[in-house]
């Protein structure tokens, strides 16, 4: 299992703790520090569409109108913190965000 997020995000830390208890081989990818591949972003965008962009974030609010109209993948490559998080890849099954429904999938 791989969890994609930000190391300083409280939600990602909670998700990582639960996921590691579920699968001790869970890896964490900090999309800002470690980077994320275009292929992964395209896969995520294919699964979640526009929901992958966190338009309520501080990063989004700091963008001008021209920047916001860029291709979503290009925008996420330039500003990885714009990705809604966490994205969890569990054997090819992708989930976005961390709510009670997602947490229930990873608790024994």
């Amino acid at each position: 299992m791989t969890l994609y997020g930000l190391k300083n995000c409280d939600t990602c830390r909670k998700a990582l703790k639960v996921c590691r208890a579920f699968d001790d081989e869970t890896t964490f990818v900090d999309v800002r520090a470690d980077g994320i591949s275009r292929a992964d972003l395209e896969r995520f965008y294919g699964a979640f569409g526009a929901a992958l962009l966190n338009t309520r974030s501080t990063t989004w609010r700091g963008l001008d109108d021209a920047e916001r109209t860029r291709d979503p993948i290009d925008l996420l490559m330039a500003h990885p913190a714009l990705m809604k998080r966490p994205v969890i890849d569990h054997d090819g099954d992708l989930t976005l965000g961390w709510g009670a429904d997602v947490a229930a999938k990873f608790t024994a």
Side-chain angles (χ1 to χ4, degrees):
M1 180 177 338
T2 304
L3 190 144
Y4 298 84
L6 297 173
K7 67 181 173 190
N8 61 346
C9 171
D10 290 339
T11 303
C12 291
R13 285 195 296 253
K14 280 190 269 185
L16 185 59
K17 183 177 179 181
V18 171
C19 289
R20 283 201 170 137
F22 180 78
D23 177 354
D24 62 352
E25 293 184 20
T26 298
T27 58
F28 180 75
V29 176
D30 185 319
V31 297
R32 190 179 328 185
D34 303 328
I36 186 165
S37 72
R38 183 173 198 85
D40 281 334
L41 286 174
E42 288 172 350
R43 186 167 57 105
F44 300 162
Y45 195 79
F48 306 118
L52 186 62
L53 283 171
N54 185 358
T55 57
R56 296 181 350 180
S57 71
T58 305
T59 305
W60 179 263
R61 289 192 301 265
L63 299 176
D64 61 28
D65 289 338
E67 189 81 2
R68 290 178 183 181
T69 61
R70 288 178 62 190
D71 173 72
I73 303 300
D74 291 340
L75 197 54
L76 288 165
M77 290 295 295
H79 306 281
L82 276 175
M83 186 180 85
K84 186 171 181 182
R85 55 199 180 267
V87 172
I88 302 169
D89 182 346
H90 182 240
D91 296 330
D93 181 31
L94 298 174
T95 57
L96 179 63
W98 187 256
D101 57 331
V102 176
K105 290 173 66 172
F106 301 110
T107 52

